Amino acid sequence: MVMKLGSLITATLPLLALAACGEESTPAEDAADVAQVREIHDNPPPVPVDPERISYNDIEKNNLFGAGCGFAPANSLSVIALAQPENGYLKLKGEIIHLSPDKGGAELPMSSWQNYAGEKFAFELKQLPGEGEESGVESTSWPGALTITNAKDQTVYQAEGTLQCGA
């Protein structure tokens, strides 16, 4: 056992000597390093989400009927966000997420709102510049954009597409 301990000490001493030969760090550098590690720990990078299509079955099952706006990403007809006068909805990992409107913010057509927030996520729907065109008996479509953020206000999804509002 003594032989193994002596070998371990002999092997470790050169490593300690190498570490001692390096430049000494200042307390400010040490504090900056600690702050950087804490920042990474306290604010990990955002984990992207992949919003799913809110199907007619989802609307029926969760009673999501009513006037408002829906967002479909470019090259898709699938609505992935619903904005209604009193509620907003996303579907993430098979679950319908309920969000509340920010009624102090910008209003969209059909008494829906630009911003909705929940416990873990929030979304912002924007009506982009451009002419709206009738897309049904009681609906109009515009260019739009959707941004979803997490509870730390980090962007986890962003897309442009179509904002369709109607009854």
Side-chain angles (χ1 to χ4, degrees):
M1 183 75 169
V2 174
M3 184 66 153
K4 288 183 182 178
L5 183 59
S7 298
L8 180 62
I9 291 172
T10 305
T12 307
L13 283 176
L15 295 175
L16 292 173
L18 277 174
C21 290
E23 292 183 25
E24 292 286 321
S25 61
T26 66
E29 290 171 329
D30 290 344
D33 289 344
V34 169
Q36 184 178 15
V37 169
R38 282 191 179 145
E39 176 68 20
I40 292 168
H41 178 267
D42 294 342
N43 296 306
V47 176
V49 297
D50 188 18
E52 299 167 32
R53 175 177 79 93
I54 300 173
S55 69
Y56 187 77
N57 285 341
D58 294 320
I59 291 170
E60 227 176 27
K61 182 179 172 184
N62 295 282
N63 195 24
L64 309 181
F65 296 102
C69 296
F71 175 82
N75 302 320
S76 175
L77 298 175
S78 298
V79 170
I80 61 171
L82 286 176
Q84 297 176 336
E86 300 298 324
N87 302 289
Y89 301 98
L90 296 169
K91 185 176 180 183
L92 301 172
K93 295 183 179 179
E95 180 183 346
I96 296 292
I97 308 295
H98 174 261
L99 303 114
S100 299
D102 175 3
K103 294 184 177 183
E107 193 171 349
L108 293 172
M110 303 304 292
S111 300
S112 58
W113 302 93
Q114 182 171 300
N115 296 299
Y116 291 79
E119 185 179 322
K120 295 181 181 178
F121 296 98
F123 73 76
E124 177 184 54
L125 269 178
K126 286 188 179 178
Q127 181 180 336
L128 299 177
E131 292 293 319
E133 61 181 65
E134 287 187 31
S135 54
V137 177
E138 296 182 32
S139 62
T140 305
S141 296
W142 294 269
L146 172 67
T147 301
I148 302 173
T149 54
N150 63 17
K152 293 188 178 223
D153 202 31
Q154 298 170 310
T155 299
V156 294
Y157 179 86
Q158 199 164 27
E160 289 189 1
T162 302
L163 178 67
Q164 184 179 53
C165 300

